[in-house]
Amino acid sequence: MGAPRLDAIDIRILDAIQRDGRITKLALAERAGISPTPCWTRLRRLEKAGIITGYHARLSLRLVAPVASILVEVTLASHRQTDFERFERAIKLLPEVTSCWSVGG
């Protein structure tokens, strides 16, 4: 069972909630061009189908807490593929690490 087919109204609903996750039901229905009850039904269908996975707030981390970028060099003792894979698995467990690059040459 794949994702449900999306029509133009579904696309307008998705566009509107991506732009404003706190949009009211009435405003969402107006943007979608349909009445509130069918709009709400469509929204719930999109959520149940997994197309809408959540509603989130974007935070300004610089206003919440001081942020620093730190660049660290890590040298592996061996350049075997298994060592790179083990390092990659370990680094992915650290939520404070936001980027990781491999540099050679």
Side-chain angles (χ1 to χ4, degrees):
M1 179 179 167
R5 292 186 58 128
L6 302 177
D7 63 15
I9 295 171
D10 294 325
I11 299 299
R12 287 194 297 268
I13 290 170
L14 294 173
D15 178 63
I17 64 169
Q18 277 189 302
R19 293 174 190 273
D20 182 3
R22 297 181 67 180
I23 191 170
T24 65
K25 295 176 195 176
L26 183 58
L28 180 60
E30 288 173 2
R31 289 218 190 128
I34 58 176
S35 63
T37 300
C39 184
W40 186 251
T41 301
R42 283 175 176 259
L43 184 67
R44 290 292 166 234
R45 178 180 55 87
L46 293 167
E47 290 171 344
K48 287 180 182 176
I51 294 171
I52 300 170
T53 60
Y55 299 87
H56 310 279
R58 285 186 296 261
L59 305 179
S60 174
L61 292 179
R62 294 191 189 285
L63 296 177
V64 174
V67 177
S69 295
I70 300 170
L71 184 60
V72 176
E73 179 181 352
V74 176
T75 303
L76 300 180
S78 167
H79 292 122
R80 294 183 315 214
Q81 184 65 31
T82 57
D83 293 326
F84 284 114
E85 291 168 355
R86 187 175 62 170
F87 176 78
E88 187 175 347
R89 281 192 307 273
I91 204 76
K92 284 181 177 180
L93 296 175
L94 303 172
E96 59 270 21
V97 175
T98 59
S99 299
C100 187
W101 298 278
S102 174
V103 180

